[in-house]
Structures are given as C-alpha cells and as structure tokens.
Amino acid sequence: MLFISFLGFAQTVSKSEIDTLLHKSQEFHKTNQDSALHYAQKAYTKSVILNDINLIARSIVYKNTYLLVQKKYDEAERLFEYNFNHLDSLSEVLKGDTYYNYGSIKYLKENYDLALENYFNSIIHYEKGDIKKGLRKAYLQIGVIYSKLNRDDLADYFYNKSLASGAGKHSKNEEDILPTTHDENEKLTMSKKLLSGISDKSNSRLAAIIYYNMAQSYIELEDYNNIIKYNLESVKIKDRINYMANKDKSYAYIGEAYFNLKNYNLAIVYLNKALKNSQKRQFKLKINDLLYRAYELAGDYKNALRVSTDINKVKDSLNLLEERERIAEITSKFETEKQAKEILLLKQENQDKELLISIKEKNLWKWTLFALLATIAAIFLGQKLINSMKRLKTVEEEKEQIAKKVEEIAVILNNKSKIYLDKLKYIKSDGNYLEFVTDDKTIIDRNKLKDILNTLPPNFVRVHRSYVINKNFIDALNSKALFLKPNIEIPLSRTYKANLA
C-alpha cells in the first residue's frame, strides 16, 4: 500500500511544474537570492520524486548557482557528484553547465588549475551543442583566470575568443581542449602557451591533458619522437596524481611510435603496458594485433605465438558473447510464440477449457519476463552482481559483529568535548580541523585524521583522504560512494576502498 501511495504521489509531479519553479527561481536571481534558492530547492525535490535524470541535473545546476552566491561551496560541490555520476545521460548543455559551474567552485576556492580544466571541458560540450552563450561565458572566465595569473597574452586571446564565440564550429575529440583550429602546428603553439600558464605542471591534471593532446597533434604530423615524449610526460603526471584517463591509449601510442621507428623491443614493452592498463576488449584486440607483429619482427616467435593465441581467445570471447545474446533473444521469442500458439489452440478446441487457458496466459507473461530478465542478467550482471551481493553481505556481517562489541565508549577531544563512539557516524577533515558528526550535533576540534584514527576501535575506517566513517551505520555502497543511515552520502576513494573489505 505504501508503494502504491508513493507512485500515486509521484504521478502528481509534472515536468511543467518543475520548469515553472525553475523559471521563478530565475526571476529572483538578481533581486532576492533566498527566494531564488527556495524555488530551486523545491524544483530539485520534485525532480527527485519524478526520478528524471536530466531534470534533477538541471535543478542542481540552478540550485548550485545560488549556493555559490551564498558561498556554500562544499554543499554545491557535493550536489554535483550526481551530475558527474550520470554525465553520459545528460544533454550537451547540461554537461557544459555542470563543468562550468564546477569550474566556478574551483575558481572561487582559488584552485585555478582545476578551474581551467573544468572550463575547458565545458567548452567541449558547449561546442558540441552549439551553445553560444555558454561558449562566451566559458572563454571569458578563462581569460579572467589568466589575467589574474598575469598572463596577459593568454588573457587577451580568450577575451577575443569570448567576443567571437559562435563564429565557427569544428568537431572535437573527447579531451581536445585546444582552440578551434585544424592546423596542428597552431594547436601545438597554443598548447605550449597554455602550459606556460600552469604554475605546478608536475602535479596538474590540466597539464597531463595538454601533454596528451600535444601528442595527438604529433600523431597527425607523424613525428614519432615527440609522440613518445609528450605521451610519457602525460603518463608521468597521471601516475603521480592517480589520474587514469587515457593512460592505456598513451601507452598504446608510445608502443606504436616505437614500432614505426623499428624499435620493436621498446614497442613490446609499452604495448604490454597498454594491455595491462585497459579492460576494453576491442582495444586490447587491436593492441594484440600490433604486439604480435612486434614480437614477430623482433624474432621472438614464442611470444608471437602466445599473443596469437590470446588474440583468438579474445575474438572467441567476443563471438561467444554475441552468440549468447542472439540465442537468448531467439529463445525468448520462441517460447513466447510457442505459448501464444498453445493458448490459441486451446481456445479453438474447447471453450470449456477457459480455466486452463487462463493459466497459460499467466504463464506467457511470466515466461516472457523471466526470459528478458535472464538475458539482461547473463549479458550485464554475471559475476559482478554475485560479488556485489557477497560484499554487501560481508559488510552487514561485520556491522553486526562490531555492533556487539562497541558499548558506550567515549573519547575526549582536544577542546575537552566528550563524544560517544556508538553515536558517532563520521569524521570529516577540513584543513587543521575535524568535524565529528552524530545525529544530534557536530563538534569541531583542532586535530588530524591519522592521529584520531589511532584512538578509535576497528569499526571506524578511513574511506577517503577527508573522511573516516563508522561501519555500524553503513546502509549501502557503490564504486564511488557509500551511504550512512539516514541517507548520508560519503565519497569513497579507490585508495581506501580496501578498508571496507
């Protein structure tokens, strides 16, 4: 009954109602920020009920615009996690607005490298969607940052781009953050200027992306030595800051460049690195083809044979997956048609068998549903679903064991406050201070996570460089976040994910 009631309530919310609320919030943008935020919050709440991804993301963009005016940067940053988690489902304008607003958060926090990276990413999507207004404001904001960095040459360039935005359209690579041009030498010149505006290139994600794009330009120019040089620069930074995007491609390009330079031994080294860093089957198939030729030309026929076997295995695996999909689809259609024909035959033979027909009709939709679910499960879930269930079960068992051991234990903080551990949900680090959060209160104390963690029982674990959580309150988790009761979202870092095992 509760579920039916909820559905009934959700159906009373319409997209037009949410659009009206967002329009109202916009009307108050210049006159009353509190009212603007109020209507944006109402739109966000209703879009969550409607469970429309694009409406939720759009409401978040509006809400965060007003949160930034009120300097609530952390709250805005947390909300944007939803947009980034559903980025593939968003329109180009929403992708652009998400990156632009996130860049504004980093700009207001004076983290100019990350601000530039996000503004450049917004330009990619504004150009794909031909959003001229978005392009103007993104170019303008990049110019402002370079002006603050005393790079007037770059600032003037992007101010001019802002004025001229919308004059031309070119297709873009996913991570191409260079100016609109087809000339590779011009791209390289501007890339070097962009690099000169980054103060700490060795730890900048933006620098890693620019190096990667410079290597792409050298691919077009068939300059193999510079392909190797700039891909290596990009990978070196990514290893240092634990940023995985396109590492496998960089290694593949390096390996292919060495192959073209006839240095087959180094080609083999980097092609194997590409394979190790990728989980994409089609990509690995292409790399294995080149690796086979490298081994063969290097005279290593044993490994050439091994790679040839691997190629066949991957091809067989891909063919098997396609065959399973085809068989599942045919089986579903066959069983559905078979049941339908049996029902029709029963109706024609004897009207007195209506009860049996009714049973068959019920079995028809049950089998169709079962076949569909089985197909989806076989293709997309498999072992991953089983592992997730085991992991959740393990977490629940640990929670029960720990809950029996933890009693009314309290710690005394540096500010002399006492906090009971069975009520403490999580600890958040903010500079030299820690926030101790329970359902009833938040206590701020000057302390460090690593120091306080040594004093806590084993049910307190670090899940992020800024968070320690109480495992007793875990409600759910996924690859990027976990949720504490009641519905508190905590970011989950890959570095500390093993602490939950």
Side-chain angles (χ1 to χ4, degrees):
M1 289 297 293
L2 286 174
F3 178 67
I4 294 170
S5 298
F6 175 77
L7 284 177
F9 178 61
Q11 290 170 356
T12 64
V13 179
S14 66
K15 292 184 179 181
S16 60
E17 182 182 357
I18 296 170
D19 287 336
T20 301
L21 289 169
L22 292 175
H23 181 69
K24 282 186 178 180
S25 73
Q26 201 169 21
E27 288 177 347
F28 285 104
H29 177 58
K30 294 183 179 179
T31 57
N32 189 325
Q33 287 294 320
D34 288 336
S35 296
L37 181 58
H38 167 74
Y39 285 112
Q41 175 60 46
K42 286 187 71 174
Y44 171 68
T45 302
K46 289 181 180 292
S47 64
V48 170
I49 293 170
L50 197 60
N51 198 26
D52 185 301
I53 292 174
N54 271 271
L55 275 178
I56 294 172
R58 185 173 164 224
S59 300
I60 287 172
V61 168
Y62 273 76
K63 182 179 176 181
N64 279 354
T65 300
Y66 311 127
L67 287 175
L68 293 186
V69 174
Q70 299 184 8
K71 298 183 178 180
K72 297 179 179 179
Y73 308 140
D74 291 339
E75 183 180 350
E77 198 165 350
R78 285 194 298 272
L79 275 173
F80 269 135
E81 286 295 322
Y82 179 90
N83 289 37
F84 286 120
N85 288 337
H86 297 84
L87 204 61
D88 291 342
S89 303
L90 304 186
S91 64
E92 294 300 335
V93 65
L94 273 176
K95 290 176 183 176
D97 287 345
T98 295
Y99 278 115
Y100 178 85
N101 277 22
Y102 196 75
S104 296
I105 295 172
K106 297 303 179 183
Y107 168 74
L108 292 167
K109 288 186 171 184
E110 298 185 357
N111 189 337
Y112 295 135
D113 275 3
L114 280 178
L116 286 169
E117 178 189 333
N118 282 278
Y119 286 139
F120 279 125
N121 280 331
S122 74
I123 287 171
I124 293 171
H125 298 292
Y126 285 144
E127 285 192 334
K128 285 181 180 178
D130 195 22
I131 315 300
K132 296 178 182 178
K133 182 178 178 182
L135 287 170
R136 281 196 296 272
K137 66 182 182 180
Y139 282 129
L140 178 63
Q141 201 61 30
I142 292 170
V144 169
I145 292 177
Y146 280 122
S147 180
K148 281 182 174 288
L149 296 173
N150 296 318
R151 290 304 308 271
D152 293 337
D153 54 339
L154 289 172
D156 290 343
Y157 176 85
F158 286 105
Y159 286 148
N160 290 333
K161 290 286 287 183
S162 178
L163 291 172
S165 62
K169 242 180 105 178
H170 300 283
S171 61
K172 292 274 181 181
N173 181 277
E174 181 183 353
E175 290 205 41
D176 182 6
I177 61 169
L178 299 178
T180 305
T181 176
H182 287 303
D183 186 273
E184 299 303 333
N185 288 308
E186 185 181 340
K187 283 186 179 182
L188 288 167
T189 300
M190 184 50 60
S191 289
K192 290 171 184 177
K193 282 191 176 184
L194 291 172
L195 281 171
S196 67
I198 300 174
S199 56
D200 183 9
K201 300 178 188 62
S202 62
N203 289 292
S204 169
R205 185 186 300 190
L206 181 60
I209 294 172
I210 293 172
Y211 281 130
Y212 176 82
N213 282 318
M214 290 176 72
Q216 296 294 105
S217 293
Y218 283 117
I219 290 173
E220 296 296 323
L221 298 171
E222 296 185 358
D223 185 340
Y224 302 124
N225 287 314
N226 277 318
I227 292 169
I228 294 166
K229 175 183 175 181
Y230 288 106
N231 271 309
L232 284 174
E233 289 290 342
S234 178
V235 168
K236 190 191 304 180
I237 297 171
K238 289 175 180 178
D239 284 338
R240 189 177 294 115
I241 64 176
N242 195 26
Y243 177 47
M244 299 300 294
N246 285 334
K247 269 184 65 177
D248 53 349
K249 289 184 180 178
S250 285
Y251 284 131
Y253 291 138
I254 295 169
E256 188 174 9
Y258 275 124
F259 184 91
N260 287 320
L261 291 170
K262 295 183 169 40
N263 189 334
Y264 302 121
N265 289 326
L266 281 176
I268 289 166
V269 170
Y270 284 98
L271 290 172
N272 276 312
K273 283 177 180 279
L275 290 173
K276 185 177 178 181
N277 281 271
S278 179
Q279 299 299 322
K280 306 163 192 168
R281 292 191 182 190
Q282 293 288 358
F283 177 78
K284 292 175 84 168
L285 189 60
K286 291 179 182 178
I287 299 303
N288 270 320
D289 279 335
L290 188 58
L291 184 60
Y292 166 77
R293 291 164 58 200
Y295 275 126
E296 187 177 35
L297 291 169
D300 187 346
Y301 302 112
K302 179 180 179 181
N303 275 313
L305 179 61
R306 175 183 60 79
V307 172
S308 175
T309 304
D310 289 342
I311 291 171
N312 290 329
K313 285 181 180 178
V314 174
K315 287 181 177 178
D316 290 343
S317 177
L318 289 171
N319 291 334
L320 181 61
L321 183 61
E322 292 175 0
E323 184 67 13
R324 283 178 177 172
E325 291 177 7
R326 190 178 67 83
I327 290 172
E329 182 182 359
I330 292 172
T331 302
S332 176
K333 288 180 179 179
F334 170 75
E335 292 296 339
T336 301
E337 291 176 2
K338 179 182 175 183
Q339 290 282 339
K341 287 179 180 178
E342 288 180 1
I343 291 168
L344 181 62
L345 184 61
L346 287 169
K347 284 182 177 179
Q348 291 173 344
E349 285 180 350
N350 196 336
Q351 293 297 323
D352 295 334
K353 297 181 180 179
E354 288 181 357
L355 180 59
L356 182 57
I357 293 172
S358 176
I359 294 171
K360 287 285 184 178
E361 287 174 336
K362 288 178 182 178
N363 286 339
L364 170 63
W365 72 263
K366 286 181 180 178
W367 169 252
T368 305
L369 180 60
F370 171 78
L372 179 61
L373 290 174
T375 303
I376 294 171
I379 298 170
F380 299 106
L381 299 179
Q383 193 61 38
K384 185 175 180 181
L385 178 60
I386 296 170
N387 290 339
S388 295
M389 293 173 65
K390 287 180 179 178
R391 189 161 59 251
L392 286 172
K393 183 178 179 181
T394 301
V395 170
E396 289 297 327
E397 289 173 352
E398 286 181 359
K399 282 165 58 180
E400 291 176 4
Q401 292 171 4
I402 293 169
K404 294 175 182 177
K405 296 178 181 179
V406 177
E407 300 176 351
E408 291 279 315
I409 303 173
V411 292
I412 307 299
L413 306 180
N414 289 337
N415 63 10
K416 307 305 180 185
S417 297
K418 178 188 285 187
I419 189 159
Y420 288 97
L421 298 186
D422 62 331
K423 299 184 183 298
L424 178 59
K425 291 198 167 180
Y426 68 92
I427 306 167
K428 178 184 176 184
S429 173
D430 188 4
N432 293 324
Y433 292 86
L434 298 181
E435 293 178 16
F436 295 78
V437 181
T438 69
D439 280 334
D440 305 317
K441 59 187 177 182
T442 297
I443 297 174
I444 298 176
D445 182 49
R446 188 177 180 87
N447 214 322
K448 294 183 178 178
L449 272 183
K450 64 179 182 179
D451 293 336
I452 196 68
L453 192 57
N454 291 332
T455 68
L456 299 174
N459 55 306
F460 287 87
V461 294
R462 195 167 189 170
V463 296
H464 187 271
R465 62 191 175 100
S466 299
Y467 288 88
V468 167
I469 62 101
N470 186 342
K471 290 204 292 188
N472 292 351
F473 292 100
I474 293 176
D475 189 34
L477 59 83
N478 58 38
S479 61
K480 294 184 179 178
L482 56 83
F483 298 85
L484 304 181
K485 300 174 184 176
N487 199 28
I488 301 171
E489 184 174 355
I490 302 292
L492 179 58
S493 167
R494 191 183 332 176
T495 305
Y496 298 101
K497 192 172 183 179
N499 291 343
L500 294 174

